[in-house]
Amino acid sequence: MSTLVIVESPTKARTIRNFLPSTYQVEASMGHVRDLPSSAEEIPEAVKGEKWAQLGVNVEADFEPLYVIPKDKKKIVKELKDALKGATELILATDEDREGESISWHLLQILKPKVPIKRMVFHEITREAIRDALTHCRDIDNRVVQAQETRRILDRLVGYTLSPLLWKKIAWGLSAGRVQSVAVRLLVRRERERRAFRQGSYWDLKAVLEKGKISFDAKLVTVGNVKVANGSDFDENTGQIIAGRRVMLLNEDQARALLSRIQNKPWTVGNIEERPVTRKPSPPFTTSTLQQEANRKLRLGARETMRIAQSLYERGFITYMRTDSVHLSEQAITAARSCVQELYGSEYLSPQPRKYTTKSKGAQEAHEAIRPAGSTFRTPQQTGLDGVDFRLYDLIWKRTVASQMADSRQTHVTLLTQVEDAGFRSSGKRIDFPGFLRAYVEGSDDPDAALEDQEVILPALKVGDKPNCKDVEAVGHETQPPARFTEASLVKMLESEGVGRPSTYASIIGTIVDRGYAKLIANALIPTFTAFAVTTLLETHFPDLVDTGFTSRMEQTLDEIATGEAKWLPYLQKFYTGETGLATQVKEQESQIDAKVARTVILENITAKVCIGKYGAYLESENEEGQVKASIPQDLTPADLDPEKVEFLLKQKTEGPEKLGLHPETGEPIYVLIGNYGPYVQLGDVSETNKKPKRSSLPKGTDKDSVTVDMAVSLLTLPRLLGTHPDTGAKVQANLGMYGPYVVHDQGKVGKDYRSIKPPDDVLTIEIDRALELLSQPKAARGRGKSATPLKELGAHPESGELLNVYDGRYGPYVKHGDINASLAKDESVENFTLQKALDLLAAKEAAGGGKSSKSKKSTKTTAAKSETAAKKTTTAKKTTAAKSETAAKKTTAAKKTTTAKKTTTATASKKKTE
């Protein structure tokens, strides 16, 4: 007698196997086993001629979805069917949220089991939780399945109906989405506010006072009992004081005059106010609050946060990470309070257990908050975790433990001092009892706010005291435009507006960046010109679909379908085929949308048109000679395009490049130009005999107007030969590249070793000794500020001797050997990843032609047997020899490589949770 248990991922399967008897066989479905067709080749021949086939939903027959098994899932389905043949019972143990319920339902439809079926759910993977879940199995909840299927169909209808319209009217490859397009509009709307913003300026005074050797700051707030203007008094649209505000606006001359008048005059304490404040801890994490805090404190993107959290969950470290609930079980409350008692003492415990309730009406995911797994919480140091795994677990542990701690008691002190007719304010904070702050301080979206809650101590003063003035200065200020969205603040906004599900925000933000609607720069999401064009088209012709209120009501209806309060079919019919339905709207609006207008972005204060073309955004203007077009550099955002830059780009196009001077040795002209990738210098003119003049990009942060002839000459000498490497005799050079300045150790066929040049080092002045020092340091991983430290060191490659490490890349962890990068499977744990697994993965990638250059592809056909045993192996032209250690060589065959390649493809292609 045996029981087949099916979960989504291999990691989850491996963990659960440890908690079940040997009669249980645990297998992974690798995510979804069935979905709507993603391409024309997946559409069955029987329906390819139908009008609705490309949509994947038969809108003419009660919106019946056309589900297919993707090619990369057919082997998995066969393996699951084979496993089921020997089972006497089937347990579906997919995730407990809506999508997990849907995956279980799809498995039932495909496997058609003839044995008893159970649905097992749990929110943590521990021995106790799994054993308990086995005794509390239930049936599949068909209402939840129906709600998820409706959501999937709705998203397909929106995406596959609007996206082709965007291809026709704006540019090929664009996409629209029920939640994605609303999120893009939020970014664009904020950027419009920034463009419309008018800066205001004001001055005030700042003093440093002292009493009893304790110094404290004081800021000017009144003059002659009239409030002095600050940033909050300005109208963002005019840059002037808001009409009706009775404030005094000081300019520089007035501020300095006041400074002179109060210089060396006595200061007197006029009033002291002490206000007791009690702060309560934040509730434990939900999906959205975890994404927000991980972004603020750890600088992790939403997608990366969810990947790490998924791994922690599947390995049994935390509870289920897709949840809207802040509720903690009695077991979790007891575990958290035990941690507080043990680590901080009973005085830091809240008098009564804190029980949190979820305010969000639509909270229907897992029934508990994200917390450390188990009936006792392992401290971060006890887990054996490291790197980002450790940091995220540490964040979750602290937040959970702090939620059961005592309130923080503080006293806020406001001190008013007077000198002549000028009033100054000082603010202090005294922490009387830290309470939960001992464990955890919540982050803030305010870039000026400190993450740590620190005391600001004022000296013991009373009314009438006369503190000494150590220093006073006039300070100028300029008002700032509304802050751009970060991933954290966008997630917060989407959740507060009720748009989408928090469990899908990570994939939505990832899609926005991947499709070119936004750039992630310094943790800010900056919309592109394409985002402006698409948003304008949707606002003009389909306003409901990008309205947060309309989308929120859609989400509410989908929730009501899950609870049986609403019917799915009438809703879809009204939404898509009704009189004002999406299909009707698209049919009516398509002929009214002028493609030329749709591709044009109108920006305030810009006389030229900004157009979206096949190769990106460009300027279009009319002059006496006709129409002029000039490309807009890819790194130039809508917020940064001003009249001066427009004039320069158009002038460069019509009058030719700006001549900086003549090269002192060749006499050729040197030009400063702006191209698709930013400003650069060029030596000489483009001609029939000189089609590619010598060019060099400007170092990042260098303004084109600051470039001198000497600097340009130096840049044009790049790459600079610094000398030879003492170990190899190969040349060492300094140069500028796509990722900035670097030094390179060029060993020809052996390969090139690069290191970035960071300030204060300069690509134009760096010498050989410093270059060798940089080259001796560990290589940094590319992408969004990743640490130079590998996630895991694996050991030396048996053939090349090159050290193999696991790095954290833009699309997740990967291993690198020479020109080959191989991503770990989505469900592969970095912690359990071994050198042998890396060798197999790289061999599979190489066999599939995964090298980046012809050189690496040729090497796949070359016998590279280095060890004695490997030399005995004979390979054909179709096989790849990747000689490993003697043991590895005996085990590895071309057939095994093919199998590994297929497994890697399958794992990588497992469906992400999207909306």
Side-chain angles (χ1 to χ4, degrees), residues 52-161:
W52 53 266
Q54 291 287 349
L55 199 58
V57 178
N58 190 347
V59 295
E60 299 168 1
D62 292 343
F63 293 86
E64 181 183 352
L66 175 64
Y67 287 119
V68 297
I69 300 173
K71 188 183 295 184
D72 63 333
K73 290 299 176 76
K74 288 182 178 178
K75 185 179 179 214
I76 291 167
V77 169
K78 182 180 182 304
E79 290 171 350
L80 292 176
K81 285 182 176 180
D82 291 343
L84 185 59
K85 288 176 184 177
T88 55
E89 183 183 45
L90 172 63
I91 295 180
L92 300 168
T94 51
D95 291 340
E96 62 177 328
D97 59 4
R98 291 174 179 147
E99 194 156 359
E101 204 74 15
S102 177
I103 291 173
S104 283
W105 178 78
H106 279 286
L107 284 166
L108 272 189
Q109 305 305 305
I110 291 173
L111 299 178
K112 297 180 173 56
K114 296 177 182 178
V115 296
I117 305 152
K118 292 180 181 177
R119 172 79 170 105
M120 184 171 84
V121 294
F122 42 85
H123 66 280
E124 61 182 347
I125 305 177
T126 61
R127 185 179 302 276
E128 183 181 359
I130 297 302
R131 293 295 176 90
D132 182 65
L134 273 175
T135 62
H136 294 89
C137 291
R138 59 168 173 81
D139 294 329
I140 287 177
D141 189 330
N142 287 314
R143 289 193 305 192
V144 173
V145 172
Q146 190 64 74
Q148 179 60 26
E149 299 308 291
T150 306
R151 185 184 299 273
R152 182 73 185 96
I153 292 169
L154 189 65
D155 289 337
R156 174 57 72 102
L157 294 176
V158 173
Y160 275 50
T161 303

Side-chain angles (χ1 to χ4, degrees), residues 694-716:
K694 175 76 174 175
R695 291 170 178 169
S696 180
S697 297
L698 300 189
K700 193 172 182 180
T702 303
D703 186 86
K704 64 178 182 63
D705 294 328
S706 66
V707 179
T708 63
V709 171
D710 289 342
M711 181 190 293
V713 169
S714 296
L715 288 170
L716 290 166

Side-chain angles (χ1 to χ4, degrees), residues 403-598:
S403 73
Q404 293 301 315
M405 292 178 73
D407 295 344
S408 168
R409 299 193 302 274
Q410 307 173 2
T411 299
H412 290 193
V413 183
T414 302
L415 175 69
L416 298 179
T417 49
Q418 195 77 19
V419 52
E420 294 288 289
D421 61 343
F424 286 74
R425 178 190 292 129
S426 303
S427 298
K429 178 167 60 179
R430 185 172 67 244
I431 298 179
D432 303 312
F433 176 67
F436 72 90
L437 296 177
R438 277 288 304 276
Y440 183 82
V441 183
E442 187 174 18
S444 169
D445 287 320
D446 181 357
D448 297 322
L451 283 177
E452 302 305 325
D453 207 289
Q454 297 178 345
E455 286 188 309
V456 180
I457 300 297
L458 296 180
L461 289 164
K462 59 182 182 297
V463 175
D465 281 354
K466 298 186 179 298
N468 296 323
C469 179
K470 292 178 64 179
D471 185 38
V472 61
E473 62 176 339
V475 182
H477 306 273
E478 291 179 335
T479 57
Q480 298 300 311
R484 288 185 172 112
F485 282 105
T486 62
E487 290 195 40
S489 58
L490 181 59
V491 165
K492 186 176 181 180
M493 173 66 81
L494 290 170
E495 186 180 37
S496 67
E497 294 288 340
V499 175
R501 306 298 302 172
S503 59
T504 65
Y505 291 159
S507 61
I508 289 164
I509 293 173
T511 299
I512 289 171
V513 175
D514 293 344
R515 294 292 174 89
Y517 287 122
K519 293 183 178 181
L520 189 58
I521 301 174
N523 208 39
L525 288 162
I526 305 175
T528 61
F529 292 102
T530 302
F532 270 69
V534 169
T535 297
T536 300
L537 184 149
L538 295 177
E539 284 175 332
T540 305
H541 300 280
F542 307 96
D544 282 349
L545 291 178
V546 286
D547 177 70
T548 53
F550 179 80
T551 309
S552 177
R553 290 191 294 275
M554 291 171 68
E555 204 64 53
Q556 186 177 338
T557 303
L558 291 168
D559 289 338
E560 289 169 354
I561 291 170
T563 59
E565 299 172 63
K567 300 296 182 184
W568 68 276
L569 184 55
Y571 178 67
L572 286 179
Q573 288 171 334
K574 180 182 177 182
F575 173 79
Y576 193 72
T577 56
E579 289 185 12
T580 58
L582 180 60
T584 309
Q585 288 186 56
V586 170
K587 192 176 291 184
E588 291 175 352
Q589 296 290 331
E590 184 170 355
S591 60
Q592 300 178 29
I593 300 173
D594 185 319
K596 179 63 178 174
V597 173

Side-chain angles (χ1 to χ4, degrees), residues 244-467:
R245 289 279 173 96
R246 186 175 177 271
V247 293
M248 178 183 293
L249 177 60
L250 295 180
N251 59 31
E252 182 177 4
D253 291 340
Q254 291 168 325
R256 295 197 183 281
L258 177 60
L259 174 64
S260 298
R261 184 156 58 84
I262 66 172
Q263 204 82 25
N264 301 318
K265 297 294 172 64
W267 293 65
T268 306
V269 176
N271 186 46
I272 302 174
E273 179 186 336
E274 293 196 355
R275 180 169 54 91
V277 174
T278 300
R279 285 184 56 189
K280 297 183 181 298
S282 299
F285 282 129
T286 61
T287 300
S288 68
T289 54
L290 176 63
Q291 290 173 5
Q292 291 171 51
E293 278 293 85
N295 186 252
R296 295 183 193 120
K297 285 193 167 184
L298 307 181
R299 284 296 183 259
L300 294 175
R303 191 157 49 177
E304 195 173 5
T305 297
M306 294 308 291
R307 179 184 64 78
I308 299 164
Q310 176 99 27
S311 174
L312 291 174
Y313 163 67
E314 292 178 348
R315 288 181 283 156
F317 288 107
I318 64 171
T319 55
Y320 192 55
M321 67 290 152
R322 290 187 179 90
T323 174
D324 293 342
S325 175
V326 293
H327 169 71
L328 286 178
S329 65
E330 291 299 327
Q331 171 187 276
I333 291 173
T334 301
R337 293 179 72 81
S338 175
C339 283
V340 177
Q341 177 79 46
E342 204 173 302
L343 296 171
Y344 304 108
S346 56
E347 70 272 24
Y348 281 92
L349 266 176
S350 61
Q352 300 296 326
R354 295 186 190 272
K355 297 189 177 182
Y356 298 91
T357 55
T358 305
K359 296 178 182 178
S360 171
K361 182 182 177 183
Q364 299 182 55
E365 302 292 345
H367 61 270
E368 196 173 358
I370 303 171
R371 62 166 176 87
S375 55
T376 58
F377 292 168
R378 286 171 285 183
T379 64
Q381 292 72 25
Q382 292 170 336
T383 60
L385 295 169
D386 57 14
V388 288
D389 288 354
F390 176 89
R391 286 186 287 154
L392 193 65
Y393 179 86
D394 181 63
L395 200 65
I396 293 167
W397 183 90
K398 286 178 177 176
R399 176 88 162 215
T400 309
V401 169
S403 73
Q404 293 301 315
M405 292 178 73
D407 295 344
S408 168
R409 299 193 302 274
Q410 307 173 2
T411 299
H412 290 193
V413 183
T414 302
L415 175 69
L416 298 179
T417 49
Q418 195 77 19
V419 52
E420 294 288 289
D421 61 343
F424 286 74
R425 178 190 292 129
S426 303
S427 298
K429 178 167 60 179
R430 185 172 67 244
I431 298 179
D432 303 312
F433 176 67
F436 72 90
L437 296 177
R438 277 288 304 276
Y440 183 82
V441 183
E442 187 174 18
S444 169
D445 287 320
D446 181 357
D448 297 322
L451 283 177
E452 302 305 325
D453 207 289
Q454 297 178 345
E455 286 188 309
V456 180
I457 300 297
L458 296 180
L461 289 164
K462 59 182 182 297
V463 175
D465 281 354
K466 298 186 179 298

Side-chain angles (χ1 to χ4, degrees), residues 596-611:
K596 179 63 178 174
V597 173
R599 294 189 185 107
T600 304
V601 178
I602 305 299
L603 298 175
E604 290 182 10
N605 302 325
I606 303 296
T607 54
K609 293 178 181 178
V610 175
C611 302

